[in-house]
Amino acid sequence: KVMVRLGEMYLEKGYLPQSKHCADRAIATDHMLPSGWALKGKALFRAGDLDAALAGFHRALSLQNQFPSVQLEMAQIYRMQQRPRRALATLDVLSRTYGKQDIPQEVLYLHGLALKDIGRYEESVDQLAQAIKQGQPNAKLLFELSESQWLAGNPANARLSLLEALSRSPDHHPSRQLLARIEDNRQGLTANMSR
C-alpha cells in the first residue's frame, strides 16, 4: 500500500514510468491488490496505452467490484476508442452505486456525452442538465449541453446555454463556433419565411 501511495504521488506529478514501477512492485508483493492494478491502469492510461490500461482496470474491478475512479477512467477510454455503448454500460453500473440525487457531476457529464455519442440526444440533455445542477458548470459542460439541445432540435435552448457558457468563458472557441452556426441557421430560416 505504501508503494501504491508513492506511485499515486508520482502520477500526480506526471512521473509516469516511476508511477508504473511502483504499481508493478506493489502487484509483485500482492497480486490481489486492487489499488495496485488501478494505479497501473492509470499510469498506462496517462501514457496513452489504452488497451493495457483497460486490462489493469478490469483486473482491479475483478478484485473490487465498486471502484468509481477506475470505472470513470474506463468510460473515458471507451469513449476515446469510439465504443460509446461500453462507456454507457460502465457508467450505468457506476451510477447505480449512488443515490439518484448523489451522482457526481463528472459521472452525469460522461453519461450525457456517451448518450450523445449514440444519438440519444434528449436523454443526453437530461443527463447534462442534471450535471449542471450538481455543481458549478464550466463552459465545456454548458457547451456539451447546448450541442445536445441543438441536435435534439431545440436551437432556442441551445443558444441560451451557449450564451451562459460564453458569459463564463468568453474565449471558449467551440461555443463561439456553435453559436455562429445556430445564428446562421436562424437567419436562413427567417429569410426563407419572409419569401
Side-chain angles (χ1 to χ4, degrees), residues 122-186:
E122 290 181 14
E123 292 173 76
S124 173
V125 168
D126 290 342
Q127 288 293 307
L128 294 169
Q130 285 294 326
I132 286 171
K133 291 178 187 174
Q134 289 295 84
Q136 199 65 351
N138 59 23
K140 186 175 181 181
L141 173 51
L142 288 160
F143 164 76
E144 296 294 351
L145 172 63
S146 67
E147 188 174 54
S148 289
Q149 289 169 324
W150 188 55
L151 291 167
N154 193 339
N157 281 343
R159 186 176 180 280
L160 291 174
S161 297
L162 286 171
L163 292 175
E164 179 69 21
L166 290 169
S167 75
R168 293 172 190 269
S169 181
D171 296 332
H172 192 251
H173 188 65
S175 293
R176 290 193 168 286
Q177 285 182 314
L178 183 55
L179 185 59
R181 283 174 36 202
I182 290 171
E183 295 296 341
D184 287 346
N185 199 19
R186 203 165 80 165

Side-chain angles (χ1 to χ4, degrees), residues 12-189:
E12 287 170 16
K13 298 281 187 191
Y15 301 139
L16 303 181
Q18 294 88 336
S19 179
K20 185 180 173 300
H21 175 74
C22 288
D24 288 337
R25 286 192 57 199
I27 292 166
T29 304
D30 181 358
H31 202 65
M32 304 295 282
L33 185 65
S35 59
W37 287 103
L39 175 61
K40 184 173 183 171
K42 290 176 184 183
L44 290 165
F45 183 18
R46 304 294 183 290
D49 191 345
L50 303 184
D51 291 330
L54 273 177
F57 289 148
H58 278 292
R59 180 66 184 201
L61 272 177
S62 74
L63 297 168
Q64 178 180 315
N65 65 354
Q66 290 185 7
F67 213 138
S69 66
V70 165
Q71 290 162 289
L72 267 178
E73 297 213 28
M74 288 175 71
Q76 290 172 343
I77 290 172
Y78 287 136
R79 285 197 69 240
M80 291 169 75
Q81 292 179 331
Q82 292 160 1
R83 297 165 67 190
R85 292 187 190 284
R86 288 298 302 247
L88 199 55
T90 302
L91 292 163
D92 283 341
V93 170
L94 177 57
S95 295
R96 286 194 291 266
T97 64
Y98 298 100
K100 188 145 178 82
Q101 303 303 319
D102 300 325
I103 301 172
Q105 186 178 56
E106 190 174 5
V107 174
L108 292 165
Y109 171 71
L110 284 174
H111 207 157
L113 294 183
L115 287 164
K116 183 170 68 165
D117 290 342
I118 61 172
R120 290 165 54 184
Y121 304 124
E122 290 181 14
E123 292 173 76
S124 173
V125 168
D126 290 342
Q127 288 293 307
L128 294 169
Q130 285 294 326
I132 286 171
K133 291 178 187 174
Q134 289 295 84
Q136 199 65 351
N138 59 23
K140 186 175 181 181
L141 173 51
L142 288 160
F143 164 76
E144 296 294 351
L145 172 63
S146 67
E147 188 174 54
S148 289
Q149 289 169 324
W150 188 55
L151 291 167
N154 193 339
N157 281 343
R159 186 176 180 280
L160 291 174
S161 297
L162 286 171
L163 292 175
E164 179 69 21
L166 290 169
S167 75
R168 293 172 190 269
S169 181
D171 296 332
H172 192 251
H173 188 65
S175 293
R176 290 193 168 286
Q177 285 182 314
L178 183 55
L179 185 59
R181 283 174 36 202
I182 290 171
E183 295 296 341
D184 287 346
N185 199 19
R186 203 165 80 165
Q187 289 172 1
L189 287 173

